[in-house]
DNA sequence: GGATTCCCAATTTTT
DNA sequence: TTGGGAATCC
């Protein structure tokens, strides 16, 4: 029986993949080149640990960076092992793992159980309020401060240490703000994303008993995208695995493109130093791209210094040359690319969904969208305003957060006068004064006897009506939350409020639909499903903040549409036909990176883009660029010049033979006819 | 619902 | 300088 299963899992693994799966006696680093089947290795290793080596699922933990990756992995392992066998297995993001530890150990950490989780926007508005007197709402400064605090937290530096280390006036002020922020966090029971890693790390560092408990729980740890870990995440990994060091990390230093967010690819070196017995296994066979594409990628990335060298090879055939489309201006570039796409699609009878257009910055999508729209080509753009930045979702989230934690002042402020309850700035200011004076949260201060002296009877009455009603709701939410959420929405008559405040009835309807989406997610998360256990309201709301919910809209995944996205967003994906646009000095590499002499990460970005392509890769650039109103001239990207020129087909248009041109003309004619027919049909 | 005006960004944003 | 989004007005 065991033998049979063994055979089943390994049938599709190559030798290095198999080595990576079977090596479980000590620390293991899998250097997984692009498209080398790293997810397959992780899935198979988990199956191997459980099925062959007798690990209990609850003792195996796998961490990823994104919810999407975690979800996919859960799904695939459930398919491999069966839902029942996979039960108890912990596959989550770093942040969700941290959140789980905090929820179980909140007493040891010294925080209350019903803390609120702040996302970036909440953090921003809190910092804005705290720094009003110095920064006067200056967005730039507040964001600088936010990044500084985030970096401090990621480097395990608390406010006291930051203060002690501060040299310049500005550093001192920032450290002081950090102190204020910490105080506010404690007073209101607020955690931010960085705390989800920081707090467990500090706890495990300082508390031996808890550390042993978790080391006993996590008997085998797998980490995906290891090159993206920051200092505190690496520290957490070390604390969880302990001296036994039973772990596998999978990563690729050539695909490290998040150093600007605190990722430390140097953690690969540290791993080598911290675990001398580290077993390094390289996955160098690529199952994705043609030989030419891979050769180009290898040659490009060789210009970067390397800790571990690896060379990808492919058995998929040499493939077509790489094309370079040059254009006079950006509009011309978009047109040429879209024309090329249309022609290629007709020639090869491909789906729109087989094409991706990748670019450095979001703003570059605009022209491509315009041209695609003009040609009536369906496209899908990833990114854009997220669901959670919509007002109605923010409102509802604030209500839900306040329901869990009445001391969440940010949520209170958002909610207290939405919809209008005659509780204006003057009332809030008085309430705020009292709260500060007595070190109470706003909600608690609303019950303070002194408030009657401060507020005119009418205002006091409106405020009291609200807090009384809401604390009743909050009590009821402890037992059976879902009816309370319905009561809440009806109680505030949110639907009417939406119709009053929306620019149009259609917009109000849209907003109401979003609200329903959120409540239906909430409902299903409270109930649980065949993969996830039922959650409490607290858990569910925090998962929302972590953007981790059960996706129920599979419908739009099936759409046949050209994919537009940034190079960053493309990591981990693959497409038969890829256009890498804006290949010009100043765009890729970006000017800021040129100025900061940080070309290597830009090169990795180009490398990520190139290795997304399976069959055909086309670059494009324009020599002219409009910026801040005037025109500047651009050189083709240095990365194009670094590529093997023999495999590059510059300006494919000009080198076309007349026959090819005739062919293309014919297909374009056919296309126009088809479009005409389609337009007629639509009419 | 549509028109107008004002303000902001112009590099990437896993949680 | 430009263009888009939000806010504001009719």
């Amino acid at each position: 029986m065991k033998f049979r299963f063994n055979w089943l899992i390994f049938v599709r693994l190559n030798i290095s993949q198999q080595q990576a799966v079977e090596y479980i006696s000590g620390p293991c680093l899998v250097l997984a080149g692009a498209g080398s089947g790293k997810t397959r290795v992780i899935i198979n290793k988990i199956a191997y640990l459980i099925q062959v080596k007798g690990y209990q699922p609850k003792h195996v933990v796998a961490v990823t960076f994104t919810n999407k990756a975690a979800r996919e992995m859960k799904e695939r392992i459930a398919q491999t092992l069966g839902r029942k066998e996979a039960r108890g297995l912990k596959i989550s993001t770093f942040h969700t793992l941290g959140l789980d530890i905090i929820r179980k150990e909140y007493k040891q950490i010294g925080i209350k159980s019903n803390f609120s989780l702040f996302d970036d926007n909440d953090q921003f508005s809190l910092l804005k309020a705290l720094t009003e007197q110095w920064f006067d709402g200056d967005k730039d400064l507040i964001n600088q401060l936010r990044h500084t605090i985030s970096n401090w937290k990621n480097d395990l530096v608390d406010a006291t240490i930051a203060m002690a280390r501060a040299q310049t006036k500005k550093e001192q002020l920032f450290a002081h703000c950090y102190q204020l922020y910490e105080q506010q966090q404690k007073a209101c029971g607020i955690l931010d994303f960085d705390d989800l890693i920081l707090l467990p790390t500090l706890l495990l560092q300082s508390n031996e008993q808890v550390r042993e408990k978790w080391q006993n729980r996590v008997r085998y740890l797998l980490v995906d995208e290891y090159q993206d870990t920051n200092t505190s995440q690496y520290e957490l990994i070390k604390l969880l695995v302990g001296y036994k060091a039973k772990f596998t990390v999978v990563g690729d230093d050539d695909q490290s493109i998040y150093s600007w967010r605190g990722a430390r690819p140097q953690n690969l070196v540290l791993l080598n130093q911290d675990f001398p017995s580290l077993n390094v296994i390289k996955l160098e066979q690529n199952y994705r791209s043609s030989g030419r594409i891979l050769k180009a990628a290898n040659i490009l990335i060789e210009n970067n210094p390397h800790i571990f060298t690896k060379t990808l090879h492919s058995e998929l055939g040499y493939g077509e040359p790489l094309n370079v489309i040059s254009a006079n201006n950006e509009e011309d570039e978009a047109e040429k690319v879209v024309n090329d796409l249309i022609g290629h699609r007709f020639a090869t009878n491909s789906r729109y969904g087989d094409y991706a257009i990748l670019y450095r910055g979001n703003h570059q999508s605009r022209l491509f969208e315009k041209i695609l729209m003009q040609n009536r080509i369906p496209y899908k753009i990833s990114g854009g305003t997220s669901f959670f930045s919509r007002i109605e979702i923010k409102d509802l989230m604030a209500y839900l957060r306040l329901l869990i934690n009445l001391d969440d002042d940010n949520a209170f402020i958002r909610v207290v006068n939405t919809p209008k309850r005659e509780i204006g700035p003057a009332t809030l200011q008085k309430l705020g004064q009292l709260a500060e004076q007595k070190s109470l949260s706003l909600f608690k201060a609303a019950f303070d006897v002194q408030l009657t002296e401060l507020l005119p009877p009418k205002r006091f009455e409106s405020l009291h009506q609200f807090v009384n009603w809401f604390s009743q709701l909050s009590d009821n939410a402890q037992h059976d939350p879902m009816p309370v959420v319905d009561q809440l929405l009806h109680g505030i008559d949110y639907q009417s409020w939406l119709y009053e405040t929306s620019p149009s009835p259609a917009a109000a309807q849209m907003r109401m639909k979003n609200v329903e989406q959120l409540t239906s997610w909430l409902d299903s998360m409270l109930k649980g499903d065949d993969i996830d256990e039922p959650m409490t309201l607290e858990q569910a709301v925090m998962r929302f903040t972590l953007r981790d919910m059960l996706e129920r809209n599979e419908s739009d995944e099936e759409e046949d549409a050209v994919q537009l996205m940034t190079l960053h967003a493309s990591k981990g994906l693959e497409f038969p036909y890829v256009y890498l646009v804006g290949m010009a000095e100043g765009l890729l590499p970006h000017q800021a990176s040129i100025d900061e002499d940080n070309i290597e990460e830009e090169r990795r970005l180009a490398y990520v883009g190139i290795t997304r392509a399976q069959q055909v890769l086309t670059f494009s650039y324009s020599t002219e660029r409009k910026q801040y109103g005037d025109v500047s001239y651009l050189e083709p990207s240095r990365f194009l010049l670094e590529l093997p020129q023999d495999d590059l087909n510059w300006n494919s248009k000009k080198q076309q033979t007349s026959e090819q041109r005739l062919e293309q003309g014919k297909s374009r004619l056919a296309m126009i006819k088809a479009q005409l027919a389609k337009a007629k049909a639509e009419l």
Side-chain angles (χ1 to χ4, degrees):
Chain A
M1 192 63 193
K2 238 174 200 174
F3 173 76
R4 189 168 163 256
F5 195 87
N6 222 339
W7 178 77
L8 263 179
I9 11 182
F10 292 132
V11 70
R12 294 175 66 202
L13 297 184
N14 66 32
I15 291 180
S16 9
Q17 287 175 333
Q18 195 170 333
Q19 280 173 353
V21 167
E22 286 183 349
Y23 183 79
I24 61 162
S25 56
C28 180
L29 164 63
V30 180
L31 283 172
S36 62
K38 67 168 182 149
T39 310
R40 195 187 297 167
V41 165
I42 296 176
I43 299 293
N44 278 282
K45 191 150 193 170
I46 293 171
Y48 179 72
L49 285 164
I50 293 169
Q51 292 264 350
V52 182
K53 290 293 164 181
Y55 272 79
Q56 286 183 48
K58 65 172 177 186
H59 289 144
V60 178
V61 174
V63 274
T64 63
F65 274 85
T66 66
N67 295 309
K68 199 175 150 214
R71 217 175 300 129
E72 270 172 25
M73 222 173 262
K74 266 191 226 173
E75 205 43 63
R76 279 179 66 174
I77 197 73
Q79 275 168 17
T80 311
L81 282 178
R83 313 247 153 197
K84 227 168 130 196
E85 285 243 45
R87 230 186 165 78
L89 188 66
K90 177 108 191 109
I91 300 178
S92 67
T93 64
F94 263 106
H95 290 84
T96 304
L97 177 67
L99 180 62
D100 284 347
I101 297 176
I102 291 170
R103 285 178 54 81
K104 292 210 174 85
E105 310 293 346
Y106 67 93
K107 277 186 191 145
Q108 305 284 346
I109 293 171
I111 57 172
K112 41 183 216 154
S113 65
N114 60 332
F115 52 85
S116 295
L117 187 54
F118 266 28
D119 68 14
D120 290 352
N121 290 320
D122 301 317
Q123 203 186 12
F124 182 89
S125 50
L126 175 55
L127 284 173
K128 187 179 174 207
L130 289 175
T131 59
E132 201 69 62
Q133 50 179 312
W134 302 291
F135 298 167
D136 192 30
D138 184 321
K139 241 181 144 178
D140 258 14
L141 275 170
I142 299 167
N143 273 323
Q144 258 183 55
L145 174 65
R146 204 168 53 134
H147 288 134
T148 310
I149 291 178
S150 180
N151 287 339
W152 272 325
K153 288 192 178 198
N154 288 335
D155 288 337
L156 307 174
V157 172
D158 68 20
T160 319
I161 306 175
M163 200 45 154
R165 285 189 194 163
Q167 300 282 324
T168 64
K169 266 262 153 60
K170 193 175 177 186
E171 279 167 5
Q172 280 170 1
L173 179 56
F174 273 24
H176 178 63
C177 295
Y178 185 15
Q179 283 179 322
L180 289 179
Y181 179 69
E182 255 186 10
Q183 281 165 20
Q184 190 68 20
Q185 281 196 291
K186 286 214 176 88
C188 298
I190 292 162
L191 300 188
D192 61 33
F193 285 152
D194 298 321
D195 290 325
L196 297 183
I197 314 296
L198 176 72
L199 295 182
T201 305
L202 293 178
L203 176 68
L204 295 191
Q205 263 181 357
S206 62
N207 189 324
E208 197 185 334
Q209 221 184 335
V210 178
R211 184 167 67 237
E212 274 171 12
K213 180 177 146 193
W214 281 92
Q215 287 179 352
N216 191 43
R217 161 86 167 75
V218 183
R219 298 196 192 167
Y220 203 96
L221 180 70
L222 299 103
V223 181
D224 192 18
E225 304 281 13
Y226 174 76
Q227 77 283 349
D228 288 342
T229 52
N230 61 33
T231 301
S232 58
Q233 284 161 341
Y234 177 48
E235 199 56 37
L236 185 58
I237 292 172
K238 280 199 288 187
L239 289 162
L240 284 173
V241 299
Y243 71 92
K244 285 185 189 156
K246 294 215 166 201
F247 68 82
T248 298
V249 302
V250 183
D252 180 3
D253 46 337
D254 290 332
Q255 291 186 72
S256 162
I257 52 175
Y258 284 103
S259 69
W260 52 277
R261 285 196 72 177
R264 298 266 175 111
Q266 306 94 297
N267 283 347
L268 282 161
V269 186
L270 290 180
L271 199 70
N272 220 359
Q273 290 167 5
D274 292 340
F275 300 93
S277 62
L278 184 72
N279 186 13
V280 182
I281 297 169
K282 296 177 187 174
L283 303 184
E284 294 177 298
Q285 179 164 1
N286 171 292
Y287 294 93
R288 177 186 294 155
S289 312
S290 75
R292 265 204 167 101
I293 292 169
L294 225 45
K295 181 180 162 194
N298 281 332
I299 288 176
L300 177 78
I301 207 64
E302 224 156 77
N303 294 305
N304 272 6
H306 281 87
I307 306 157
F308 305 95
T309 53
K310 63 178 162 29
T311 310
L312 287 172
H313 55 90
S314 163
E315 290 175 5
L316 295 178
Y318 201 47
E320 292 176 44
L322 285 56
N323 303 310
V324 182
I325 297 175
S326 63
N328 299 327
N329 58 57
E330 289 166 296
E331 180 138 5
D332 187 31
E333 179 187 356
E335 268 168 12
K336 279 184 170 156
V337 164
V338 172
N339 278 338
D340 190 81
L341 190 155
I342 291 168
H344 186 268
R345 177 170 171 274
F346 264 85
T348 55
N349 198 22
S350 314
R351 299 169 66 247
Y352 284 123
D354 292 339
Y355 296 86
I357 298 176
L358 309 179
Y359 37 77
R360 176 73 234 262
N362 276 313
H363 66 276
Q364 290 174 272
S365 71
R366 265 209 342 255
L367 274 173
F368 288 92
E369 282 187 84
K370 188 178 138 195
I371 307 293
L372 286 167
M373 224 184 302
Q374 279 171 7
N375 286 282
R376 300 223 187 115
I377 295 173
Y379 65 89
K380 215 177 129 187
I381 186 157
S382 72
T385 27
S386 109
F387 182 76
F388 284 89
S389 55
R390 294 170 181 279
I391 338 151
E392 64 276 19
I393 298 306
K394 281 184 170 173
D395 283 346
L396 183 51
M397 281 296 290
Y399 268 110
L400 292 175
R401 277 215 324 252
L402 193 63
L403 215 49
I404 293 160
N405 175 12
L406 294 172
D407 297 333
D408 186 337
D409 285 355
N410 255 44
F412 181 85
I413 290 168
R414 170 143 205 131
V415 142
V416 71
N417 209 28
T418 311
K420 299 258 179 286
R421 291 188 186 90
E422 299 182 301
I423 303 168
T427 309
L428 280 179
Q429 213 217 326
K430 295 249 167 63
L431 183 66
Q433 266 171 20
L434 184 66
E436 191 163 347
Q437 187 192 325
K438 298 211 161 184
S439 307
L440 293 170
S441 68
L442 293 172
F443 204 95
K444 284 207 184 98
F447 287 102
D448 196 276
V449 279
Q450 251 184 294
L451 194 63
T452 43
E453 298 161 23
L454 285 168
L455 289 178
K458 264 200 161 168
R459 304 291 135 232
F460 180 81
E461 191 43 45
S462 351
L463 184 59
H464 244 226
Q465 211 187 335
F466 173 68
V467 290
N468 279 326
W469 172 69
F470 204 85
S471 54
Q472 183 65 48
L473 275 185
S474 179
D475 276 349
N476 296 343
Q478 305 292 321
H479 314 295
D480 190 8
M482 214 50 218
V484 175
V485 174
D486 280 335
Q487 267 177 45
L488 172 71
L489 286 171
H490 284 113
I492 61 177
D493 197 9
Y494 196 61
Q495 187 153 9
S496 306
W497 166 252
L498 281 184
Y499 276 91
E500 277 165 39
T501 53
S502 298
S504 72
Q509 251 170 18
M510 188 69 210
R511 289 179 176 180
M512 203 56 215
K513 249 182 82 184
N514 288 329
V515 170
E516 279 158 15
Q517 171 73 269
L518 192 73
T519 52
S520 98
W521 274 335
L522 182 62
D523 191 43
S524 57
M525 285 159 85
L526 294 173
K527 284 185 186 134
D529 69 1
D530 53 348
I531 292 189
D532 289 287
E533 304 274 313
M535 294 180 203
T536 63
L537 180 65
E538 283 100 329
Q539 279 176 306
V541 170
M542 287 189 210
R543 290 298 182 94
F544 282 146
T545 309
L546 289 173
R547 311 291 183 254
D548 180 14
M549 52 271 169
L550 307 169
E551 296 270 14
R552 288 267 182 268
N553 23 344
E554 297 101 5
S555 53
D556 55 9
E557 302 241 333
E558 292 305 308
E559 252 180 292
D560 180 28
V562 176
Q563 309 278 312
L564 272 73
M565 68 188 80
T566 62
L567 287 164
H568 284 91
S570 76
K571 194 169 86 162
L573 305 175
E574 60 184 20
F575 308 91
Y577 315 115
V578 169
Y579 291 91
L580 192 32
V581 305
M583 287 297 289
E585 287 291 299
L587 280 171
L588 185 71
H590 192 272
Q591 192 55 48
S593 301
I594 298 174
D595 297 342
E596 288 162 28
D597 198 23
N598 186 19
I599 298 297
E600 283 161 25
E601 182 141 320
E602 299 288 309
R603 192 177 281 113
R604 289 194 289 268
L605 217 37
Y607 176 79
V608 166
I610 291 170
T611 51
R612 296 312 94 196
Q614 295 172 308
Q615 295 169 37
V616 181
L617 176 59
T618 305
F619 301 98
S620 76
Y621 69 95
S622 75
T623 47
E624 202 177 78
R625 181 191 182 196
K626 263 187 264 178
Q627 201 184 203
Y628 311 113
D630 50 15
V631 183
S632 52
Y633 294 91
L634 301 176
E635 294 292 316
S637 168
R638 69 188 73 184
F639 301 142
L640 284 177
L641 306 177
E642 289 174 7
L643 296 176
Q645 298 303 311
D646 288 350
D647 295 294
L648 234 52
N649 192 1
W650 285 78
N651 258 333
S652 52
K653 283 267 149 59
K654 282 177 192 162
Q655 288 167 13
Q656 267 179 351
T657 62
S658 53
E659 274 164 47
Q660 281 173 328
R661 209 167 302 156
L662 193 69
E663 268 315 299
Q664 200 163 19
K666 273 187 196 163
S667 71
R668 199 152 298 162
L669 197 69
M671 175 199 82
I672 292 165
K673 276 184 186 164
Q675 272 187 358
L676 221 66
K678 201 183 156 204
K680 266 185 195 163
E682 275 168 12
L683 282 171

